[in-house]
Amino acid sequence: MALRVAVIGAGASGLCAARYLSADPARYLPTVYEQTAAVGGTWVYTDRTGKDEHGLPVHASMYKNLRTNLPKETMAFSDFPFSSSLQSYLSRQEVLQYLEDYSAHFGLKKHVQFLTRVDAVKPVHVHGGVKWKVTTSKVTDPDKQNTEQFDGVIVSNGRYSMPYVPTIPGTDQFQGRILHSHDYRVPEPFRARNVVILGASRSGVEISVEIAEEAKRVVISHSDPPSIELRRLPPNVRQAARVENIMGPNIVRFQDGQEFQADDIVYCTGYCLSFPFLHPECGITVHNGRAFPIYRHVLNTTYPTMSFIGITQLSVTFPLFEVQVKFALGVLDG
C-alpha cells in the first residue's frame, strides 16, 4: 500500500520532493501544500511587503534586480539542466521560469493544493507506529480547517522568510526609515539619502552596491574581517565596524568610534528558521539559527518519518535538495 506523504511548500525543495515521490506512485502518494497561488517559493517576486492580499506575512524575500551568485552550471537538478542559451549567472525571472518548467515537465502541479496554509502538524501513535495529523485551511477561508493523516511529512517551507533583527540600543529613538532586506525591493526610494547597511554577506554587499546607484552615501557595517572580501566598491560606499548604538534621531555610532548621520538603516542580517505549524510533540526546537534534533540537517531523530529539506546555509541549493530528498525517502521506505 502506497505511503501518503505531506510536503509543506512548493518552492524548489518542495518541488524536488514532489518530483521523486510522484515518480513512484506504487510506493508514494504526495500531497503538496502551498500557501500562495504559484510554485517557486522565494523565487516568486512581489512588490508587496508586510502582508499579502490575504493578510498573511509575505513569504518571499526576492528583490527586483537580483541575479544569482552561483553559476547555473552548479545550480541545476541532475535530471533537468538549465537551457544552454542562458548566461551562467541568472536573473530571478530565469530561475523562476526554470522551476515552473521543472514542475510542468514532471507534472507536479496536480499534486499541489494551492492557497492552502498548514496550520498544525502533530504525530499520532497508531497500532504501534507513528502517523502524522496535518491540519490545513484555505487562505481564502481560514476559519474552515481540514485534517488528514499521513505516513510521512517533508518540511520544505524554506529558510528565508523570517527576518533576524539584532537588538541595537537606541533603535527606538531613530526617526529615519528602518527595514530588513526581506522587505527590500528596489533602490529608487533611497535616492539622495544616507544609508547604513548592517551586514556584509551576500545580500548586504549586493544591496549596498545597488542602493549606491541612487543614494548619496552608503556605509556597510560589519565584523572585521568580513565574511567575504569587499573589493571595488562604488566611491560613495565605505565600510565601518559593527553598530554600537543609535544616538538621537539619526546618528549611528560604530564600535570603532565612527559616527554617521543616517536617513535609513537596512538590516541585511539574515533569517531565522521558523516552523510555526509544528506541534511541540514533534520534538523540534530552534536555537541560534539551528533546529534540533535533526540528523544531517534532514531527519527528525525522534520521528524519522519527518524530514526537512533545504534548511542548511552556504550550500549549492538545488543539487543538495535532491540528495536530501533521496536520503529522506530512503529512510521513509525503510
Side-chain angles (χ1 to χ4, degrees):
M1 185 174 180
L3 300 175
R4 297 196 69 210
V5 182
V7 179
I8 303 174
S13 58
L15 291 175
C16 182
R19 177 259 181 276
Y20 282 98
L21 288 164
S22 62
D24 194 349
R27 187 172 295 177
Y28 306 114
L29 293 175
T31 300
V32 183
Y33 296 111
E34 170 54 45
Q35 183 173 284
T36 71
V39 300
T42 198
W43 292 97
V44 178
Y45 175 79
T46 174
D47 289 324
R48 299 183 74 122
T49 59
K51 303 290 186 180
D52 66 14
E53 63 270 31
H54 305 292
L56 298 173
V58 170
H59 179 83
S61 300
M62 189 61 51
Y63 47 95
K64 190 172 185 178
N65 299 321
L66 181 139
R67 299 193 75 85
T68 62
N69 51 25
L70 290 174
K72 72 177 189 202
E73 290 80 6
T74 67
M75 286 183 63
F77 294 116
S78 64
D79 54 359
F80 197 76
F82 282 96
S83 169
S84 61
S85 65
L86 298 174
Q87 60 183 319
S88 283
Y89 291 88
L90 307 171
S91 69
R92 60 168 178 84
Q93 297 97 323
E94 290 166 333
V95 178
L96 179 59
Q97 186 62 57
Y98 171 82
L99 293 174
E100 290 174 344
D101 292 345
Y102 180 82
S103 174
H105 179 78
F106 292 107
L108 304 180
K109 283 189 177 180
K110 63 177 176 286
H111 302 290
V112 183
Q113 294 188 21
F114 291 104
L115 298 174
T116 304
R117 177 184 175 89
V118 175
D119 298 313
V121 177
K122 182 180 180 180
V124 291
H125 297 271
V126 179
H127 304 305
V130 174
K131 304 291 185 181
W132 296 95
K133 186 167 67 174
V134 178
T135 301
T136 63
S137 59
K138 290 293 184 181
V139 299
T140 53
D141 189 12
D143 294 329
K144 185 178 180 181
Q145 291 186 320
N146 178 61
T147 299
E148 295 189 53
Q149 186 169 287
F150 292 89
D151 299 290
V153 172
I154 296 178
V155 180
S156 51
N157 64 323
R159 64 163 300 124
Y160 298 110
S161 62
M162 179 64 68
Y164 168 69
V165 179
T167 300
I168 296 176
T171 302
D172 58 335
Q173 302 177 37
F174 187 69
Q175 295 183 7
R177 178 173 47 192
I178 298 178
L179 71 152
H180 190 275
S181 58
H182 175 67
D183 295 320
Y184 173 77
R185 295 294 183 265
V186 293
E188 285 76 13
F190 299 91
R191 184 167 295 147
R193 296 174 72 84
N194 295 312
V195 185
V196 173
I197 306 288
L198 273 69
S201 191
R202 296 173 300 280
S203 63
V205 174
E206 291 169 4
I207 290 173
S208 295
V209 171
E210 185 168 289
I211 285 178
E213 297 177 2
E214 301 287 345
K216 183 177 180 181
R217 292 181 298 168
V218 176
V219 175
I220 307 177
S221 168
H222 59 79
S223 302
D224 186 22
S227 58
I228 57 177
E229 186 178 357
L230 306 185
R231 297 181 297 176
R232 291 182 291 181
L233 293 172
N236 60 336
V237 177
R238 67 179 176 88
Q239 301 177 58
R242 287 186 176 184
V243 173
E244 182 173 88
N245 65 303
I246 296 171
M247 305 164 59
N250 60 6
I251 300 298
V252 177
R253 181 178 176 83
F254 304 97
Q255 290 180 353
D256 58 7
Q258 295 186 68
E259 294 181 358
F260 183 71
Q261 186 168 316
D263 300 306
D264 305 301
I265 297 174
V266 182
Y267 288 91
C268 295
T269 46
Y271 295 85
C272 304
L273 289 176
S274 179
F275 311 113
F277 43 82
L278 294 186
H279 190 277
E281 290 183 21
C282 294
I284 298 298
T285 59
V286 176
H287 181 67
N288 289 338
R290 295 187 64 183
F292 301 90
I294 299 180
Y295 179 69
R296 299 292 186 182
H297 306 287
V298 176
L299 296 180
N300 180 336
T301 58
T302 306
Y303 300 112
T305 54
M306 170 180 279
S307 57
F308 296 77
I309 308 301
I311 64 172
T312 57
Q313 297 192 75
L314 302 177
S315 63
V316 182
T317 52
F318 297 0
L320 177 64
F321 298 164
E322 199 167 22
V323 173
Q324 290 179 325
V325 166
K326 292 178 179 179
F327 176 39
L329 296 192
V331 173
L332 183 61
D333 196 40

